[in-house]
Amino acid sequence: MNADSIRQMIETGFEKAGLPGARADVQGEDGVHFEATVVSEAFAGKLPLARHRMVYATLGEKMGGEIHALQLRTVTPAEAAA
């Protein structure tokens, strides 16, 4: 697993739909531990836990398997611009 593959899964989906219009910046050097900043309008009005669950849903069974750990920062476009 690599950072670009995770970015693509978040933006376009893997087992389920991705986050439409989302932009993801994913980093991770060892192939199992990653950090991601995900910007999506779909996060508006949602609490952080709900936002994280939305991202995890795009990754399906890869979470806890090929992706051992994923540290997330989830923001709306307005929050990213601030």
Side-chain angles (χ1 to χ4, degrees):
M1 185 61 52
N2 63 51
D4 192 53
S5 295
I6 294 171
R7 180 192 59 76
Q8 289 177 354
M9 284 188 280
I10 292 170
E11 292 177 355
T12 63
F14 171 60
E15 293 176 343
K16 300 187 182 224
L19 291 170
R23 293 187 326 267
D25 176 35
V26 182
Q27 313 233 340
E29 300 298 320
D30 66 2
V32 291
H33 299 92
F34 299 92
E35 296 178 11
T37 298
V38 183
V39 180
S40 175
E41 192 61 50
F43 296 148
K46 305 249 187 326
L47 295 173
L49 182 59
R51 293 176 178 195
H52 288 201
R53 286 181 177 156
M54 291 170 70
V55 175
Y56 294 149
T58 68
L59 302 172
E61 293 182 5
K62 301 281 186 189
M63 276 305 304
E66 293 178 59
I67 304 168
H68 177 70
L70 177 63
Q71 180 179 341
L72 289 173
R73 177 174 179 254
T74 52
V75 295
T76 64
E79 291 166 345

